[in-house]
Amino acid sequence: MSDSPAGRDEKTFEQLLEELEAMTRRMAAGDIGIEAAAALYERAGELHAQATERLARVQERIERLAADTPGEDGESSGAGAAS
């Protein structure tokens, strides 16, 4: 995987979560050596950081969209909306 922002974003949130779950199952099975477990743990930390970042960006996007959505009275609920 590349260090560029586009390279980091190759996987969807769901793919990141799936890979994390697979790693968790593999480590929980206990059939891997300590070095392999350490490598998986390190990779899991990287995936967790990517997933957390992706989730934060989506949450910000949803909050922006919600702020721009008209309220029940037909007015925009966002600050600074023109009347």
Side-chain angles (χ1 to χ4, degrees):
M1 223 176 241
S2 167
D3 287 336
S4 71
R8 278 194 343 237
D9 292 343
E10 289 179 14
K11 292 187 178 192
T12 66
F13 176 81
E14 291 77 11
Q15 290 169 324
L16 292 168
L17 188 59
E18 184 179 314
E19 190 172 343
L20 280 166
E21 290 172 345
M23 288 178 167
T24 301
R25 285 190 300 272
R26 192 165 169 211
M27 286 189 285
D31 59 353
I32 59 174
I34 191 74
E35 292 297 327
L40 284 174
Y41 188 80
E42 184 176 17
R43 177 69 179 142
E46 294 168 357
L47 293 173
H48 179 264
Q50 289 176 30
T52 299
E53 179 183 333
R54 181 93 25 89
L55 211 52
R57 285 196 319 255
V58 170
Q59 184 175 2
E60 289 172 8
R61 184 174 168 203
I62 290 170
E63 288 170 358
R64 280 194 312 270
L65 290 169
D68 292 338
T69 302
E72 290 180 19
D73 60 359
E75 296 284 327
S76 175
S77 61
S83 299

